[in-house]
Amino acid sequence: MTRMDEWVSAACAELDLSPADVDVRVVLDLARDVAHHVLRPGAPVTAYLLGVAVGRGADPATAAARLARLAAGWPAADAADSAAGAAGPGGTEGTGSPDSGAIAPA
């Protein structure tokens, strides 16, 4: 059993879910697509959105494929946009500002 398998099993147990219902590869592939084509901090947010959609009855593979297509077609950011989105206001990474695209440290 890999460390990922152990984590997914433990997280599923904590949330009263079945690990058999989790397609880790689909989630990781989607996160990779969003991180590479849209914005790195968009990856965990998109994974969350996928979970919300699945919780509301969407098919996981279909919803992930739709989001992956959306990410693949997303317009490329120019260098200035990418730097501003990663650094946030004032160039401080990790501010968590909704406008910054950064995630606040826990």
Side-chain angles (χ1 to χ4, degrees):
M1 181 178 271
T2 67
R3 188 161 173 87
M4 177 64 82
D5 293 333
E6 291 171 0
W7 168 250
V8 169
S9 292
C12 283
E14 189 69 25
L15 297 173
D16 197 28
L17 300 171
S18 170
D21 293 335
V22 179
D23 191 339
V24 173
R25 178 56 40 206
V26 166
V27 176
L28 292 177
D29 286 349
L30 175 59
R32 178 203 61 224
D33 291 344
V34 172
H36 288 250
H37 296 289
V38 182
L39 181 70
R40 185 174 292 170
V45 174
T46 303
Y48 171 79
L49 294 172
L50 174 65
V52 170
V54 170
R56 291 182 177 173
D59 175 70
T62 301
R66 289 177 61 189
L67 290 169
R69 279 193 304 276
L70 179 64
W74 201 255
D78 64 27
D81 287 345
S82 295
T92 305
E93 190 169 341
T95 62
S97 165
D99 296 330
S100 71
I103 298 174

